[in-house]
Amino acid sequence: MPPFSHDESPGMISLSTIRSLYRMLAPPAACLAVALPGPAAAAEQAYLEPSAFIAQAFPGTTAQVKLLWITPKIHAETVRILGHEPAQLRQKYWTDGEKSAWILDEIGKEDAITAGFVVKDGHIEQARVLIYRESRGGEIRYPAFVAQFEGAKLADGLYLDKQIDGISGATLSVNAMLRMSREALYFARTAAAK
Amino acid sequence: MTRAPLLSRLLRRWHRRIGLAAAGFFSILAITGLLLNHGDSFALDSLRVGTPWLMNWYGLKPAVPERGFAEDGLLFVAQGETWVLGGHSLKAGHGEPVGMVHAAGLVWIATNDEIDIFDAAGRPVDIIERDLLPGTPLRRIGSRNGQLLAIIGGDSFATSDGISWKRLARDESAAWSHPQALSVGEQQALAPFFAPTLPFQRIVADVHSGRIFGRYGILLVDGLAVALLLLAGSGVWIYLKNRGSRTRATKSAAIAKPPDLR
């Protein structure tokens, strides 16, 4: 019988009919509920002001602000690290002579993540996520993740000499932190050599 | 063969008619809904559309500023988040520009809270934020002997790199940057930079809600929503009726079948 036939008589709705209707509709409804996206997270989260990070990095002393110009050689190496053009032609950093602090921006997926790195004797002493602007992946701010960068040095090929464990669902943000950590170590090495 | 009651026949007929008439609209709603749901994945919010007829439909027209800052043959014009320097689109800083200076081989653009530094080709060099300024708000900038001068609050300061600042005596003269009127030719040349655009996601949302056609569009989508409710209701009704008829037909067939006496 075709679904819209006029040749059928009206009938009662039985319990089994309702049960079968439920069986038919429940699976797609459940799938739809799982597939629906949740609300997007806040656009920008400032966890630590850059000035506060610098103050924490140099307790009791006044760090000097210096400039590192992105020369053609530095530019080429930075492109190698980042995989794209650096955002600006000179980089500010803070130093007390022994260690240096770098505040860098890098896009995870769509928006810039601002992170701070303190470098001493060629290794990362401290890493912090300062401002996070992506909609997801903010777990990279947790101490358990950023603590992995402590002690990391620059190895051959401008890569880190230690393994950094990723975070599920935050791969692009983790990769951005990895790129910034390599950039900070490279900049610190270059600035120290000048 | 019995005929279905009038209500049932009417319901089926109108279920078909509404379904066919609204199929195209529902397809548009479904596609725009999917695009909105996954706008982040497709980066639709960063994709901008500036098609002239569409901007005209929205009532948006190019609005080139009437004033800009000029120095050493470089013209800087800003409006909102659109900054243009010497024919190059710049990454806009935060706030309304108060001056532009070409000094020490660099272009310095000041807002109340920061100084954005570019090279003459418009490439970003650095941003001097409030933490590194001797104070805020920045009132005015100028140049003298290749140095940048800034009036911050009631005091004057000089710098050659934006990092180290030296306080100046108040009576020291400088070439201060001030806005000047743009010629008609300059405004025409700048028009493409200030042509209106809208985020693609906004346009999709307007199509989805019907707002793109004004208040009548919203009413149309409201009508479609009611039509969808009617379709859902009539669809469930038809399904339940069919189901009941089939169940009864199966039972009747089982009763009518003669028993096997062999």
Side-chain angles (χ1 to χ4, degrees):
Chain A
M1 187 182 289
F4 295 119
S5 168
H6 292 241
D7 300 330
E8 62 191 22
S9 57
M12 297 280 288
I13 299 167
S14 67
L15 191 61
S16 64
T17 304
I18 293 169
R19 278 198 195 117
S20 68
L21 188 67
Y22 172 78
R23 277 197 297 271
M24 192 172 74
L25 294 178
C31 291
L32 190 65
V34 170
L36 283 174
E44 179 173 319
Q45 290 287 325
Y47 300 114
L48 185 65
E49 284 298 321
S51 54
F53 174 76
I54 298 300
Q56 285 182 15
F58 302 97
T61 59
T62 305
Q64 196 181 355
V65 187
K66 290 198 169 183
L67 297 169
L68 177 70
W69 281 92
I70 310 298
T71 60
K73 182 175 182 293
I74 298 174
H75 179 272
E77 298 287 47
T78 309
V79 169
R80 237 178 100 193
I81 291 169
L82 299 178
H84 59 78
E85 294 284 317
Q88 49 194 40
L89 296 178
R90 75 179 197 187
Q91 179 64 49
K92 291 186 289 285
Y93 65 100
W94 290 256
T95 180
D96 63 355
E98 288 187 0
K99 58 186 177 185
S100 59
W102 303 82
I103 293 175
L104 304 170
D105 284 338
E106 178 67 356
I107 292 174
K109 185 181 180 188
E110 291 165 9
D111 298 302
I113 301 164
T114 303
F117 297 88
V118 178
V119 181
K120 186 177 181 182
D121 297 331
H123 69 262
I124 293 175
E125 194 177 75
Q126 190 190 4
R128 289 286 296 268
V129 175
L130 306 180
I131 305 171
Y132 192 81
R133 301 175 183 86
E134 298 279 8
S135 58
R136 59 194 69 181
E139 298 80 14
I140 60 164
R141 73 182 185 276
Y142 292 136
F145 173 73
V146 290
Q148 297 182 88
F149 289 93
E150 291 170 14
K153 291 181 179 177
L154 215 49
D156 292 341
L158 300 174
Y159 288 97
L160 296 186
D161 70 340
K162 64 186 284 192
Q163 177 72 33
I164 304 293
D165 293 333
I167 299 172
S168 298
T171 307
L172 296 178
S173 297
V174 167
N175 290 343
M177 278 297 284
L178 283 167
R179 290 194 296 273
M180 282 191 281
S181 65
R182 292 164 59 202
E183 188 184 17
L185 285 168
Y186 171 68
F187 282 169
R189 188 173 78 183
T190 309
K194 283 185 181 289
Chain B
M1 190 181 289
T2 56
R3 283 187 65 78
L6 181 64
L7 175 65
S8 188
R9 274 185 285 138
L10 272 176
L11 211 55
R12 285 187 176 85
R13 191 175 301 152
W14 280 100
H15 185 85
R16 279 199 303 271
R17 286 175 180 169
I18 295 173
L20 281 172
F25 289 108
F26 289 149
S27 302
I28 292 170
L29 285 179
I31 291 165
T32 50
L34 283 169
L35 286 173
L36 287 174
N37 257 5
H38 300 281
D40 287 348
S41 311
F42 301 141
L44 296 184
D45 51 345
S46 56
L47 181 66
R48 298 190 74 86
V49 178
T51 314
W53 69 264
L54 190 58
M55 296 302 104
N56 202 33
W57 177 262
Y58 271 89
L60 299 173
K61 300 197 181 336
V64 182
E66 294 176 353
R67 296 163 80 80
F69 299 92
E71 189 176 325
D72 293 346
L74 281 171
L75 177 64
F76 169 65
V77 180
Q79 183 165 263
E81 292 189 355
T82 305
W83 286 17
V84 180
L85 173 72
H88 302 285
S89 196
L90 301 183
K91 185 186 174 198
H94 298 99
E96 192 71 22
V98 296
M100 183 274 284
V101 162
H102 191 205
L106 298 170
V107 177
W108 309 70
I109 298 170
T111 67
N112 281 156
D113 294 320
E114 67 183 35
I115 297 175
D116 295 81
I117 310 172
F118 300 88
D119 67 4
R123 290 180 298 179
V125 172
D126 201 357
I127 301 171
I128 309 300
E129 286 148 339
R130 62 167 63 207
D131 296 338
L132 294 174
L133 291 171
T136 52
L138 272 156
R139 303 272 186 214
R140 219 171 171 192
I141 59 171
S143 63
R144 193 191 60 196
N145 301 331
Q147 281 200 315
L148 175 79
L149 272 59
I151 295 179
I152 298 169
D155 297 318
S156 301
F157 297 86
T159 184
S160 54
D161 59 7
I163 304 296
S164 308
W165 293 84
K166 182 187 162 195
R167 191 185 295 270
L168 298 176
R170 280 172 185 256
D171 58 352
E172 292 198 52
S173 60
W176 296 106
S177 171
H178 54 85
Q180 45 193 270
L182 300 178
S183 68
V184 175
E186 285 171 333
Q187 284 186 309
Q188 282 174 348
L190 287 164
F193 291 99
F194 294 92
T197 59
L198 282 173
F200 183 65
Q201 201 162 12
R202 156 83 190 274
I203 295 166
V204 172
D206 287 349
V207 171
H208 190 75
S209 66
R211 282 191 181 83
I212 198 162
F213 298 114
R215 62 194 171 111
Y216 297 111
I218 296 172
L219 290 174
L220 175 70
V221 173
D222 287 349
L224 286 171
V226 172
L228 188 57
L229 283 172
L230 289 174
L231 278 177
S234 55
V236 170
W237 173 267
I238 291 165
Y239 170 80
L240 294 176
K241 298 286 281 184
N242 281 346
R243 177 84 193 172
S245 303
R246 280 197 202 103
T247 309
R248 271 196 320 284
T250 310
K251 281 180 183 170
S252 303
I255 291 165
K257 188 178 178 185
D260 188 358
L261 300 174
R262 283 179 298 171

